[in-house]
């Protein structure tokens, strides 16, 4: 009886976007261009503007400007943005398309204002019909507890019937606090499928 009950519990699956559904090229650019070799003050300045641009307090252009200044002075803003948008689709995206036949799917992402649409255009991923909670549109970003509460309220979610998949542990902690089941995605699709199956999720 308990097993049968657990198999019918999950109704909603929330996916992170970068490094879950598509490659996070911001993260890649930071590493390639040596962000973490810079003085701590520069790193702090960079992340402050990144985080503010993901909550609407700064613009995408502001973020691209600090990226150019600190990491890529010889690049144009357009070249930096094009590099970031030229992302690869990751295996969970294929899985998402199978899961959406049986479950409600949401995407919860720390992102720039127009990048989700640009990513969709560049990568040919189809986001139609999938609610996309973009941090910049709601002025909150993960791991702020409020963005998870917003998702629960806005989409009338029952935490115990919801699974959240993210590639960063810090983003899973607040979701877990609210009673949402969580899965850490570590670029291993087999492992992800296994964890979903353990929750009784079919695909």
């Amino acid at each position: 009886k308990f097993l049968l009950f657990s198999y019918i519990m999950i109704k909603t699956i929330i996916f992170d976007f970068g490094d879950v559904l598509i490659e996070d090229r911001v993260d890649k650019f930071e590493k390639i261009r040596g962000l973490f070799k810079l003085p701590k003050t520069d790193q702090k300045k960079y992340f402050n503007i990144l985080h503010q641009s993901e909550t609407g307090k700064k613009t995408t252009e502001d973020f691209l400007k600090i990226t150019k200044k600190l990491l890529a002075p010889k690049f144009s803003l357009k070249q930096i943005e094009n590099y970031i948008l030229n992302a690869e689709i990751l295996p969970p995206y294929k899985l998402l398309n199978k899961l959406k036949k049986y479950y409600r799917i949401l995407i919860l992402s720390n992102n720039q204002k127009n990048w989700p649409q640009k990513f969709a255009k560049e990568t040919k991923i189809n986001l139609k019909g999938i609610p996309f909670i973009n941090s910049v549109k709601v002025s909150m970003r993960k791991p702020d507890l409020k963005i998870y509460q917003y998702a629960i309220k806005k989409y009338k979610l029952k935490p115990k019937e919801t699974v959240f998949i993210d590639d960063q542990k810090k983003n899973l902690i607040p979701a877990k606090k609210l009673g949402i089941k969580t899965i850490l995605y570590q670029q291993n699709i087999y492992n992800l499928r296994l964890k979903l199956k353990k929750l009784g999720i079919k695909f």
Side-chain angles (χ1 to χ4, degrees):
K1 283 182 182 177
F2 173 75
L3 281 175
L4 185 64
F5 181 66
S6 68
Y7 278 145
I8 58 170
M9 267 186 78
I10 303 303
K11 292 181 181 172
T12 305
I13 302 169
I14 305 173
F15 284 86
D16 173 37
F17 194 57
D19 270 350
V20 175
L21 297 177
I22 69 161
E23 180 189 16
D24 185 343
R25 300 270 284 188
V26 172
D27 188 53
K28 195 172 181 178
F29 198 74
E30 291 166 1
K31 287 169 186 167
I32 289 170
R33 304 299 300 180
L35 172 66
F36 300 101
K37 291 176 184 173
L38 294 179
K40 295 288 182 189
T41 50
D42 283 344
Q43 290 182 42
K44 190 178 178 184
K45 195 185 292 179
Y46 170 86
F47 281 115
N48 277 343
I49 292 180
L50 170 61
H51 296 168
Q52 285 180 59
S53 68
E54 288 178 342
T55 52
K57 291 170 187 162
K58 296 278 184 185
T59 65
T60 301
E61 190 177 1
D62 291 328
F63 167 62
L64 292 171
K65 280 178 180 175
I66 193 71
T67 304
K68 175 181 168 65
K69 184 182 176 183
L70 296 177
L71 303 180
K74 291 180 182 177
F75 287 36
S76 69
L77 300 188
K78 194 68 188 163
Q79 283 174 320
I80 296 167
E81 186 175 47
N82 286 345
Y83 174 86
I84 290 165
L85 295 173
N86 187 26
E88 285 183 28
I89 298 171
L90 300 178
Y93 174 67
K94 222 177 240 186
L95 190 60
L96 177 151
N97 283 317
K98 290 180 182 177
L99 290 166
K100 70 181 181 185
K101 295 174 191 173
Y102 309 103
Y103 303 94
R104 186 181 196 187
I105 304 293
L106 305 177
I107 297 171
L108 178 57
S109 175
N110 292 341
N111 221 306
Q112 300 293 328
K113 190 177 180 181
N114 298 315
W115 278 5
Q117 294 86 345
K118 288 182 178 181
F119 277 121
K121 190 179 176 183
E122 289 293 322
T123 61
K124 305 289 190 287
I125 63 170
N126 181 10
L127 300 176
K128 285 177 185 173
I130 300 172
F132 195 114
I133 304 166
N134 185 349
S135 61
V136 77
K137 298 285 178 78
V138 294
S139 305
M140 301 174 269
R141 67 188 298 281
K142 298 176 292 182
D144 185 346
L145 190 75
K146 289 177 184 175
I147 198 167
Y148 305 87
Q149 291 170 326
Y150 169 86
I152 290 167
K153 190 177 178 183
K154 168 86 175 171
Y155 297 99
K156 298 180 172 62
L157 306 178
K158 292 183 180 176
K160 287 181 181 178
E161 296 176 354
T162 304
V163 182
F164 176 47
I165 303 161
D166 200 292
D167 65 300
Q168 294 189 46
K169 279 183 185 176
K170 66 180 180 182
N171 292 338
L172 297 175
I173 294 165
K176 201 176 276 188
K177 276 183 185 173
L178 294 169
I180 295 170
K181 291 175 174 61
T182 60
I183 294 174
L184 179 66
Y185 179 63
Q186 297 174 296
Q187 308 309 316
N188 184 330
I189 190 64
Y190 174 76
N191 199 321
L192 176 60
R193 290 167 71 97
L194 210 61
K195 287 176 179 177
L196 288 168
K197 277 182 180 176
K198 279 184 181 176
L199 292 172
I201 291 167
K202 60 180 180 178
F203 39 84

